[in-house]
């Protein structure tokens, strides 16, 4: 039963995350052969949130056993998109935009790593301040 529960919450979270990403793509579509800002920002935002989330549930308050698979794997896994990132790279190369493609490749990596690090470090700092009773840590 535990495996079925985990699978169910991952699936539900994945649908919610993918729908949110799809909605952002509709609100901010990327024209052909242009820099895919929406995908980059979605992936960076997802990485920022995963940095905050994982520190909060592993170093902060204990979380329900289904929260991590639902939100971390499901919602954020569905929200962020390595497949669209790769497709965007392919489209840029096909459109003879190698400079944009390489910039997107490197920019996404830098944004994702920076965002997860910033989210984790900021959350650790907030937790330290809270543990110290509100004094600067």
């Amino acid at each position: 039963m535990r495996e079925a529960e985990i699978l169910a919450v991952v699936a539900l979270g994945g649908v919610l995350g993918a729908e949110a990403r799809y909605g952002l793509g509709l609100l901010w579509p990327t024209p052909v052969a242009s820099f895919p800002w929406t995908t980059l920002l979605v992936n960076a935002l997802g990485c920022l949130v995963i940095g905050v989330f994982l520190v909060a549930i592993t170093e902060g308050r204990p979380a329900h056993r289904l929260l991590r698979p639902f939100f971390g794997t499901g919602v954020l896994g569905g929200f962020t998109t390595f497949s669209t990132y790769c497709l965007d790279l392919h489209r840029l190369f096909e459109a003879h935009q190698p400079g944009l493609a390489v910039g997107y490749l490197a920019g996404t990596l830098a944004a994702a790593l920076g965002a997860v690090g910033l989210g984790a470090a900021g959350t650790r700092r907030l937790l330290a301040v809270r543990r110290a009773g509100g004094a600067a840590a």
Side-chain angles (χ1 to χ4, degrees):
M1 184 62 171
R2 288 182 74 132
E3 288 179 19
E5 289 176 327
I6 291 170
L7 182 58
V9 298
V10 168
L12 175 62
V15 167
L16 296 173
E19 288 290 335
R21 175 177 33 89
Y22 179 72
L24 287 173
L26 291 177
L27 289 173
W28 192 10
T30 300
V32 175
S34 66
F35 195 87
W37 286 107
T38 305
T39 305
L40 184 142
L41 293 173
V42 161
N43 285 334
L45 178 60
C47 287
L48 177 74
V49 173
I50 198 75
V52 170
F53 175 69
L54 287 178
V55 169
I57 67 167
T58 59
E59 300 174 25
R61 291 183 149 181
H64 188 278
R65 69 180 183 81
L66 295 176
L67 181 60
R68 186 173 181 169
F70 169 73
F71 190 73
T73 305
V75 173
L76 293 175
F79 184 69
T80 58
T81 173
F82 186 72
S83 59
T84 302
Y85 168 64
C86 290
L87 183 59
D88 288 341
L89 280 170
H90 178 73
R91 286 180 180 158
L92 287 170
F93 278 116
E94 278 194 336
H96 306 290
Q97 297 288 340
L100 280 180
V102 171
Y104 178 56
L105 177 72
T108 297
L109 178 61
L113 291 173
V116 76
L118 182 66
T123 303
R124 282 191 182 102
R125 174 100 171 129
L126 287 173
L127 289 174
V129 167
R130 290 183 85 189
R131 287 184 186 121

